[in-house]
Amino acid sequence: MPHMAIEYSANLDAKVDMNELCALISRTILETGLFEPGAVRVRAFRAEAYAIADRLPENGFIDMNFRIGKGRSAAEKKSAGEAIFAAVTDHLASLFATPHFALSLEIREIDAELSWKKNAIHPRLRGK
């Protein structure tokens, strides 16, 4: 389980290709070497309603919530977070050229006793 949920303000539709951003994040997660390909999920959710900072209409945001299972050291989690944040920051450099964009990332560790999963993708990818 590494699941990345991206929430973003609707006014970014014309500025960010969310499919491309999801693919970049997926590649970056896998490049860390900390997660199995069959477990990676990256998805984006458009926020239609929002109020950001001083409520200027050009203000936009992307909030990334990265949920992972237990089993990685603090250094590994920090390294993964830094890699993801750096890749996304670089990809969105044009948005940072304006004073109207905010980006955030949080890593949350999931308690295995309170998380249920069934994944038919793992056996297929592990059999390669």
Side-chain angles (χ1 to χ4, degrees):
M1 153 172 263
H3 290 207
M4 176 70 81
I6 304 162
E7 183 181 358
Y8 68 97
S9 54
N11 64 345
L12 295 180
D13 281 343
K15 299 175 184 175
V16 179
D17 180 332
M18 287 298 162
N19 285 318
E20 185 178 316
L21 183 63
C22 287
L24 167 71
I25 292 170
S26 178
R27 284 191 309 273
T28 305
I29 289 169
L30 289 171
E31 287 168 1
T32 68
L34 296 171
F35 308 99
E36 286 189 78
V40 176
R41 312 279 186 279
V42 180
R43 55 219 183 235
F45 303 96
R46 183 177 196 259
E48 290 287 335
Y50 53 88
I52 304 166
D54 56 357
R55 298 178 61 194
L56 291 175
E58 56 268 35
N59 290 346
F61 76 89
I62 292 178
D63 175 58
M64 300 178 289
N65 181 4
F66 191 41
R67 297 178 318 151
I68 64 173
K70 290 185 179 187
R72 288 151 199 95
S73 71
E76 288 173 325
K77 290 183 278 191
K78 184 174 181 182
S79 176
E82 288 173 345
I84 294 164
F85 200 78
V88 173
T89 298
D90 183 58
H91 185 74
L92 301 175
S94 64
L95 294 178
F96 287 106
T98 74
H100 302 286
F101 180 65
L103 176 66
S104 58
L105 167 64
E106 181 179 1
I107 297 177
R108 298 178 182 190
E109 200 169 63
I110 303 302
D111 183 341
E113 291 184 29
L114 301 174
S115 180
W116 295 262
K117 296 170 214 54
K118 185 170 182 164
N119 184 338
I121 299 170
H122 274 308
R124 178 175 53 84
L125 293 179
R126 287 176 182 160
K128 287 187 172 183

